[in-house]
Amino acid sequence: MAYQSLYRRYRPGSFADVVGQGPVIRTLTNAITEDRLHHAYLFTGPRGTGKTSIARILAKAVNCTEGPTPAPCGVCESCTTITSGTSLDVIELDMASHGGVDDARDLRERAQFAPTTGRRKVYILDEVHMASTAAFNALLKLIEEPPGHVMFAMATTDPQKVLPTILSRVQRLDLRRVDAEDVAAHVVRIVTAEGSTIEEVAVDAVVRAGDGSVRDTLSILEQVLAFAGGGVTAEHVAQVLGTTPSATITDVVDRLVTGDLAGLLATVARLVDEGHDLRRFTLDLVSRLRDLLVLQAAPEHPELVDATREQRDRLVEQAGRLPREQVLSALETLSGTVVEQRLGTPRLPLELALARLTLPRSTVAGRRAGGRACTPRRPTRAHRAPTPAPAPAPRPRRRGDRVHHDGA
Ligand SMILES: [Zn+2]
């Protein structure tokens, strides 16, 4: 049998199995029980939250030989063909690729024919916001007043782009980002069903990386399971997700303290060579600085930092060596870098930030006698990097002063 992804294998087969969408499920279940199903639904919500899964279950619910029922049997011909995607009465169309006016006209014509085996023909239109305006217009009347045997279950991640004329003709059900706790429970269930184990911290890391999308979470879990080959640890997850090795972050923080810009730039270059994502690296560095700040502020509460005991001991040691105001200023600067990196290339903003952070305080120690005129006295290539940074200042005056101000 062909390999099936975890997401497909553990796709919910009934409303009860859908993860974290209680209100939508309740609405549909009630509508089926009370026999007041709408003829056109629009499911909206972020990717991987269950829109098409729910649409398929809805198709089963109306076509099951035991139905219409909110709990389709899952074994009748109708249920099994819908699950396997071979039902002639459930037509799934991705509007990103079938959203032209000809596709819409074709759909409109075929919709007139009665269903083959089930009660109703269910059109599942995915990414419906991608359909062209002409296609929408061709479907308007059908969606408004379809023949009794036709039902629409549309899905979109972007309801703002669906024409108002369509929105006014459908019943809209908004799916939400799935709660971390619901996803975590789902992850544990699946790992157990797969005959494996997973550390609690590893579950957290997988769920955090999946960011509320069941599909993304399971795709990460799948990679992690394949990589770990057995019990999944937090370390496995870090490696699969490409998070920066802890030792590298420790080394970078040390270099920030000593003002070793050349070493920092070399580290950045190495990370790029090794294929690391610098945005990820910056986030990891920010997260480490945050941990150090917490340990400095509340040394008696090390549990506020999410780390293994061994790792925490190392952090406590590092936190003890750093001036708090330097940690604070690094956090502030790098948080800004994270934002800049979203807007463009990740490398330059990072290098500029590192240059700025190594400028005034760290080098001042041995050179204070030399006056305040900022340390970059030997304009090495590395030191020249920060000079473009003050550019946003409106009226450049004395170069030395500006650099100093900017770095502070
Ligand atoms: Zn059935």
Side-chain angles (χ1 to χ4, degrees):
M1 206 174 107
Y3 178 78
Q4 268 199 324
S5 68
L6 276 187
Y7 178 68
R8 277 168 177 273
R9 253 185 300 150
Y10 291 92
R11 191 159 212 164
S14 69
F15 286 132
D17 294 338
V18 176
V19 179
Q21 302 297 348
V24 168
I25 298 307
R26 198 171 320 122
T27 304
L28 288 174
T29 306
N30 289 344
I32 295 166
T33 318
E34 295 160 18
D35 192 24
R36 42 174 188 75
L37 268 182
H38 202 270
H39 61 261
Y41 284 95
L42 174 65
F43 299 104
T44 73
R47 49 185 259 107
T49 48
K51 297 180 293 298
T52 31
S53 295
I54 292 176
R56 284 187 201 164
I57 299 168
L58 179 62
K60 276 194 238 180
V62 296
N63 279 327
C64 177
T65 47
E66 309 279 317
T69 165
C73 74
V75 291
C76 70
E77 193 195 342
S78 175
C79 283
T80 50
T81 53
I82 293 173
T83 302
S84 63
T86 53
S87 168
L88 296 172
D89 297 329
V90 176
I91 300 99
E92 268 193 63
L93 290 173
D94 182 353
M95 298 312 265
S97 49
H98 291 89
V101 65
D102 290 338
D103 297 303
R105 286 194 187 121
D106 189 45
L107 188 161
R108 200 174 55 188
E109 272 165 38
R110 286 167 190 266
Q112 305 307 322
F113 300 105
T116 333
T117 51
R119 285 178 202 88
R120 294 176 90 167
K121 272 187 159 171
V122 182
Y123 285 92
I124 298 178
L125 308 182
D126 205 5
E127 297 300 349
V128 73
H129 63 275
M130 301 288 281
S132 69
T133 307
F136 271 133
N137 288 333
L139 289 178
L140 260 189
K141 192 146 176 25
L142 181 65
I143 291 174
E144 186 172 38
E145 277 181 86
H149 63 260
V150 169
M151 190 173 164
F152 286 95
M154 302 179 238
T156 181
T157 47
D158 200 351
Q160 276 84 1
K161 287 195 191 143
V162 179
L163 289 187
T165 42
I166 295 282
L167 285 176
S168 65
R169 287 164 170 81
V170 301
Q171 181 165 359
R172 173 172 163 175
L173 295 173
D174 295 343
L175 278 68
R176 51 179 188 197
R177 225 175 139 270
V178 185
D179 268 1
E181 270 181 44
D182 290 335
V183 188
H186 193 50
V187 165
V188 172
R189 258 196 312 274
I190 290 179
V191 172
T192 311
E194 292 289 303
S196 196
T197 58
I198 183 167
E199 288 181 359
E200 211 174 306
V201 268
V203 175
D204 287 344
V206 169
V207 169
R208 237 180 297 129
D211 198 25
S213 159
V214 176
R215 180 165 52 216
D216 290 354
T217 306
L218 294 195
S219 132
I220 293 163
L221 178 63
E222 185 148 38
Q223 296 170 47
V224 171
L225 280 171
F227 178 77
V232 177
T233 65
E235 187 60 30
H236 291 138
V237 180
Q239 290 188 40
V240 168
L241 293 177
T243 38
T244 321
S246 178
T248 304
I249 299 284
T250 305
D251 177 66
V252 165
V253 174
D254 282 342
R255 287 180 196 277
L256 276 176
V257 177
T258 57
D260 179 12
L261 180 58
L264 288 167
L265 294 177
T267 303
V268 170
R270 178 172 60 78
L271 288 170
V272 171
D273 283 347
E274 290 174 0
H276 283 275
D277 176 3
L278 291 181
R279 293 184 180 90
R280 178 79 242 180
F281 164 74
T282 311
L283 287 172
D284 292 341
L285 183 54
V286 165
S287 153
R288 168 64 65 85
L289 290 165
R290 176 261 172 201
D291 287 350
L292 294 175
L293 189 71
V294 169
L295 289 173
Q296 287 180 338
E300 69 282 9
H301 288 297
E303 74 279 1
L304 289 176
V305 167
D306 191 18
T308 59
R309 191 181 188 83
E310 206 183 23
Q311 166 76 350
R312 199 180 287 152
D313 289 346
R314 276 198 293 267
L315 290 178
V316 169
E317 188 271 322
Q318 197 171 35
R321 282 188 285 121
L322 298 180
R324 192 192 294 187
E325 66 164 6
Q326 200 175 348
V327 176
L328 254 181
S329 115
L331 254 179
E332 281 168 3
T333 302
L334 288 164
S335 305
T337 308
V338 169
V339 176
E340 288 172 47
Q341 286 178 324
R342 283 196 201 119
L343 304 173
T345 159
R347 187 166 181 169
L348 186 62
L350 175 62
E351 290 178 334
L352 289 180
L354 295 175
R356 245 175 258 148
L357 289 171
T358 45
L359 260 186
R361 283 193 193 80
S362 48
T363 41
V364 91
R367 299 168 186 255
R368 187 159 275 160
R372 59 196 303 273
C374 240
T375 32
R377 244 180 268 159
R378 292 166 301 143
T380 59
R381 222 148 48 102
H383 270 123
R384 215 169 273 149
T387 15
R395 272 164 275 111
R397 284 174 199 158
R398 282 161 297 167
R399 213 165 288 138
D401 280 343
R402 260 194 310 128
V403 173
H404 186 84
H405 174 77
D406 193 67

